[in-house]
Every structure is written in C-alpha cells, then in structure tokens.
Amino acid sequence: NSTNHVSVELFDRTGKKVAVLADGVFQPGAHKIEADVQHLEAGHYIYRMKSGFFKDSKKLIIRK
C-alpha cells in the first residue's frame, strides 16, 4: 500500500544464499517476479521476502 524497497532472496537447504530474485523499489500493487532457476539443482529451497516491516519466508521445490 506504499512505495517500498523489496528484496526476494533464495536460499538452499544449508542456508546459503544462492540467488537474489528481486532487489529494488516497487510501487504499490501486485507484482510478478520471474526467476531463471535452470542453474540450480533439483531440491528444496526457501525464498525470503522483505518489504518495509513485512518479512516472510516460503518453501520452493525445484523439479527437473
């Protein structure tokens, strides 16, 4: 509901950061982030989103 700096980072199972999917200022509204994960191995990952006071983490499964 306000312009904010947004970051979306991807981590492997060991907690190592493997990619930054978004890092910039976004205007209010819905946004879609497309990520090229071709270079990553199949498996479980965690992506972490931060925007202002909002922080959330979700699971991502890559299958090949």
Side-chain angles (χ1 to χ4, degrees):
N1 56 1
S2 65
T3 301
N4 254 325
H5 181 265
V6 175
S7 68
V8 181
E9 301 169 319
L10 187 64
F11 298 87
D12 66 13
R13 293 186 101 178
T14 67
K16 178 182 172 190
K17 186 188 310 183
V18 295
V20 175
L21 306 178
D23 187 25
V25 176
F26 285 74
Q27 298 296 320
H31 298 276
K32 182 178 180 178
I33 297 172
E34 295 187 20
D36 179 10
V37 296
Q38 295 287 332
H39 65 285
L40 298 174
E41 295 183 20
H44 292 95
Y45 294 85
I46 299 292
Y47 63 95
R48 181 172 61 195
M49 304 170 283
K50 289 192 235 177
S51 176
F53 293 108
F54 174 80
K55 295 179 185 175
D56 198 9
S57 298
K58 301 283 184 183
K59 181 173 28 174
L60 172 70
I61 300 174
I62 296 176
R63 294 184 177 178
K64 295 193 178 188

